Every structure is written in C-alpha cells, then in structure tokens.
Amino acid sequence: MDHKTASFRWDVLAGGAMVLVAAVFLIWGARLTFGTLTQMGPGFLPICTAICLGALGIVIAIEGLKGEPPIPDLPKLRPLLVIAACPVLFSLMIDHAGMVPTVVATALLARAAEPIRWGWDLVLVPLGLSLMAVFVFIDFLGVAIPAF
C-alpha cells in the first residue's frame, strides 16, 4: 500500500467533518427559540444535538492524532442499515403502538446490528429501556405519549 495513503488520518478528517456539521446546526438552531427542559422550543433539539456532536467530533479528532494512523476497513453493511432503520421504525410506531412496544421493538431491531447471542440481556435490555423511557418522558417530562 502507498505510504502516503496509509499515513492519511481519516479519523481526524471525520472528527473535523462532525465539528463542521455541528457548527452548521448550532448556527441554525441559535436562530430558533430554545425554550426550557419542560417546554422545549424548536431550537432545543438542534442546539443540544450540535453540542454533543461537536464534542464527539473533537474527541475523535484528538484521538486520531495519537499514535499510528490505522488502515481503514470497509464498513459493515448490516449494522449501518439496521441502525439507520431504528429511527424510522420508532417514528412509524410511536403514534400507533405507544412508548413501551415502540421502545421494545426498536431495541430488538438495534440488537440485530450484530450477530445475536441469546441470553437474558436480549429480554432485560429492551424492557429496562422501555421502563426508563416511560419514567423519563411520560412521568418526568410529561410528554403526551401513551405507554401502550
């Protein structure tokens, strides 16, 4: 392999791209009303997401500057497609099925991103996530989504 290609730091480039996308969403979200935690405005989600994405991009870029640059592998297609399908499944189910069945189905779909190993966590993780989602979003924040 060419030495110039092997020494290129793709993770630094990816971290920088994440910071750039975060800056765009931060600028765009700053024009909207932020609101509060219980009365979220239209700018709440873009700003919070941009802050998290920017911080993650900075961490990835800094980690990319350490050590030898790795030779990148081609991404696996199944995890990419499954994780991309999770928000679609969630958005299609949430209005009709309620919080608990939607979170359980989404968690089970997300588990299919890697080869499934049968065990108690296959049952306990989706149930725990659904209970936590009901507590945080329905009980604590008062979001008007039925549990079932």
Side-chain angles (χ1 to χ4, degrees), residues 3-17 60-72:
H3 178 67
K4 189 174 186 179
T5 303
S7 66
F8 189 76
R9 300 195 181 260
W10 288 101
D11 38 6
V12 176
L13 179 68
I60 289 173
I62 289 172
E63 287 295 318
L65 293 172
K66 296 178 181 176
E68 288 292 315
I71 298 173

Side-chain angles (χ1 to χ4, degrees), residues 18-19 22-23 25-26 44-60:
M18 290 171 66
V19 170
F25 275 93
L26 193 60
F44 189 88
L45 186 63
I47 290 173
C48 291
T49 305
I51 291 169
C52 293
L53 182 65
L56 185 62
I58 290 170
V59 169
I60 289 173

Side-chain angles (χ1 to χ4, degrees), residues 8-102:
F8 189 76
R9 300 195 181 260
W10 288 101
D11 38 6
V12 176
L13 179 68
M18 290 171 66
V19 170
L20 182 66
V21 169
V24 169
F25 275 93
L26 193 60
I27 292 168
W28 176 68
R31 296 179 183 173
L32 303 171
T33 305
F34 187 75
T36 64
L37 188 58
T38 56
Q39 296 287 328
M40 298 177 198
F44 189 88
L45 186 63
I47 290 173
C48 291
T49 305
I51 291 169
C52 293
L53 182 65
L56 185 62
I58 290 170
V59 169
I60 289 173
I62 289 172
E63 287 295 318
L65 293 172
K66 296 178 181 176
E68 288 292 315
I71 298 173
D73 293 330
L74 292 175
K76 296 178 184 177
L77 191 57
R78 184 172 83 178
L80 178 69
L81 293 176
V82 168
I83 298 303
C86 284
V88 174
L89 176 69
F90 187 89
S91 65
L92 291 174
M93 283 186 67
I94 193 69
D95 285 338
H96 307 291
M99 181 68 78
V100 173
T102 301

